[in-house]
Amino acid sequence: MNKIDIALNRLMKLHPDEIDLSLDRMHRVLKALGNPEKRIPPTFHVAGTNGKGSTGASIRALLEAQGKTVHVYSSPHLVRFNERVRLGATGRFVEDQPLLEAIKRVEKANDGHELTFFEATTAVAFCLFADNPADYLVLEVGLGGVLDATNVIEKPLVSIITPVSKDHENFLGDSLEGIAMEKAGIIKPGCPVVVGPQADTIRDVIENKAGRVRAPIWFQGQEFSAWEEGGRLVYQDEFGLMDLSPPKLAGFHQLSNSGLALAALRAAGLLESEEARAACDKALRSINWPARMQPLYEGKLFERLPENTEIWVDGGHNPGAAKVISAFLADLTDKASRPTFLVMGMMNTKDPEGFFQQFEGLAKHVMCVPLTTTAAGRFPEELAEIAQAAGLSASSHETLEDAISEVVGRSLDEEEAPRILFGGSLYLAGEVLDKNGTPPE
């Protein structure tokens, strides 16, 4: 176990036996630290159920293409904790030594009091962002919004709400309106908010909250739009139309995420110059966000599979994510038919039946595997039974390697090389990238 893991384990031991979502612990430790959250750069605060990471990565790319430096806070990580904190001066993940020093500062300030792991690590991130200069910060919500540890910031430059659907029901409940109210909690008085595609009931909740605090609000499909035309991304708002390269990230939903990012910059007044608009084309072609319909073209696992196998890795883990993933795979199948296999692992807090239902008629077989980097994964046998109940052919496997061997065996009977999706959890996506030798950089 390395020094970072040892330090993170110490933080984990501060975790309350029962989590009551509250900002009291967060305010206490930040006050003891000298309120670093008041010394961070202008902030794009991103909440929502699906697309937070991709939208944040798009905002970062758009800003960096203009020559700006950008801090990023996102979660969870795929392979190394350092991935959660990207420092603007270098554009790279935080190095071990400054991360260790920030953890020790938070431990000293907290003085042994109860603190959730996410609260502790968010305080660590605020220390790093306050101590290292950058032009902007992209701050991703961990859970919900109202009482999320990131929601201690008082005046974001822009609040962004990506598509909202059911997830984390054990904390946020199973009412879409209730979940929407949690997400809308990041809206602050007078601060602009841009909103991705939403169901009408969710849209109403968000609009009502913005109205109560007099926050200017832009809805996708109303105040701004983004669509594909002739292989290009077209973005339009009240200030005009932009004809741009399509985003590098795969999937129809990334057109929407890119549009949301562009609207966020517009709301911040950062798309006014001709130079800024010209930089957008370069930015969209360079966006990188691992484990979001990420293709693999090389690596240790890749080499074990039949020649010409098409591999995708995605950490989406709820029915809303499965809907856009299956639509993308269906489009690939229409263009080039291949047998589609799913290698899936999932947390025991998710809705696997709702997830698997999106792949009925598309997936030839599902190989269910355990999650090896968390104790909260579903047993593969249970997951396979749920997949079968959702109308899919499925089997359980003790290891990821066993599942890959199953794919290889089943591919021998196929005329075309297979198309494989590794997914269902960011934990599994991280394991795949790590064992493949292609972790996030």
Side-chain angles (χ1 to χ4, degrees), residues 233-255:
L233 168 65
V234 180
Y235 170 83
Q236 186 173 25
D237 59 27
E238 63 179 306
F239 298 100
L241 183 146
M242 298 172 67
D243 177 18
L244 302 162
S245 293
K248 179 182 176 182
L249 298 176
F252 301 120
H253 55 295
Q254 297 298 352
L255 297 171

Side-chain angles (χ1 to χ4, degrees), residues 71-372:
H71 292 325
V72 180
Y73 183 56
S74 60
S75 62
H77 58 279
L78 293 170
V79 179
R80 298 173 62 233
F81 179 86
N82 307 55
E83 299 166 31
R84 298 188 182 207
V85 178
R86 187 185 294 271
L87 296 180
T90 62
R92 301 181 65 84
F93 302 137
V94 62
E95 299 288 345
D96 285 357
Q97 191 55 43
L99 177 57
L100 281 170
E101 291 171 0
I103 290 174
K104 290 177 181 177
R105 284 174 58 192
V106 170
E107 287 181 298
K108 182 178 180 180
N110 186 59
D111 196 27
H113 290 91
E114 286 189 343
L115 199 65
T116 72
F117 182 75
F118 187 72
E119 288 166 349
T121 54
T122 300
V124 167
F126 280 138
C127 288
L128 290 164
F129 296 146
D131 293 347
N132 292 275
D135 296 315
Y136 297 98
L137 165 63
V138 175
L139 183 67
E140 183 184 318
V141 165
L143 178 67
V146 175
L147 298 175
D148 185 78
T150 64
N151 205 31
V152 293
I153 60 170
E154 296 177 352
K155 197 174 179 62
L157 183 63
V158 183
S159 299
I160 300 105
I161 302 178
T162 68
V164 173
S165 62
K166 291 184 179 181
D167 199 3
H168 299 292
E169 288 94 333
N170 52 328
F171 289 112
L172 304 180
D174 58 6
S175 160
L176 277 177
E177 292 86 349
I179 294 172
M181 289 180 66
E182 289 290 330
K183 308 293 186 184
I186 69 166
I187 300 174
K188 302 294 170 57
C191 299
V193 54
V194 296
V195 185
Q198 309 290 353
D200 288 344
T201 54
I202 294 170
R203 177 190 173 101
D204 290 344
V205 170
I206 295 171
E207 188 169 28
N208 287 339
K209 172 60 187 290
R212 288 197 303 273
V213 299
R214 298 184 180 180
I217 189 165
W218 290 22
F219 280 107
Q220 193 160 16
Q222 184 168 313
E223 281 76 21
F224 69 97
S225 297
W227 67 93
E228 186 273 336
E229 186 174 306
R232 303 280 290 174
L233 168 65
V234 180
Y235 170 83
Q236 186 173 25
D237 59 27
E238 63 179 306
F239 298 100
L241 183 146
M242 298 172 67
D243 177 18
L244 302 162
S245 293
K248 179 182 176 182
L249 298 176
F252 301 120
H253 55 295
Q254 297 298 352
L255 297 171
S256 174
N257 292 339
S258 294
L260 192 53
L262 287 161
L265 262 68
R266 178 74 83 185
L270 297 172
L271 280 187
E272 306 309 307
S273 70
E274 187 61 39
E275 293 77 9
R277 292 191 292 274
C280 292
D281 199 76
K282 173 185 175 183
L284 293 172
R285 288 184 276 113
S286 66
I287 299 169
N288 180 44
W289 191 238
R292 277 71 175 182
M293 291 313 297
Q294 177 184 351
L296 294 185
Y297 302 112
E298 60 182 2
K300 297 175 183 177
L301 298 182
F302 178 87
E303 291 169 0
R304 290 189 52 192
L305 291 160
E307 187 176 358
N308 297 322
T309 295
E310 184 181 303
I311 303 176
W312 299 91
V313 181
D314 192 277
H317 48 252
N318 55 49
K323 185 175 182 179
V324 296
I325 294 168
S326 62
F328 175 71
L329 292 177
D331 183 64
L332 291 180
T333 299
D334 288 342
K335 294 175 180 176
S337 180
R338 291 172 177 251
T340 298
F341 297 108
L342 309 182
V343 179
M344 293 281 128
M346 295 192 78
M347 298 276 286
N348 57 25
T349 56
K350 305 305 175 184
D351 174 15
E353 185 173 6
F355 187 95
F356 286 132
Q357 285 171 349
Q358 303 298 326
F359 295 93
E360 187 176 5
L362 177 64
K364 188 147 193 176
H365 190 76
V366 183
M367 275 69 68
C368 299
V369 300
L371 301 180
T372 61

Side-chain angles (χ1 to χ4, degrees), residues 2-19:
N2 61 36
K3 291 182 179 179
I4 296 295
D5 289 335
I6 292 171
L8 293 173
N9 281 341
R10 292 199 306 268
L11 294 183
M12 190 67 77
K13 291 177 181 178
L14 301 171
H15 209 80
D17 291 334
E18 294 184 8
I19 300 177

Side-chain angles (χ1 to χ4, degrees), residues 27 30 34-41 126 130 152-154:
H27 284 302
L30 289 174
N35 292 111
E37 81 283 5
K38 298 183 184 296
R39 295 182 281 114
I40 59 176
F126 280 138
V152 293
I153 60 170
E154 296 177 352

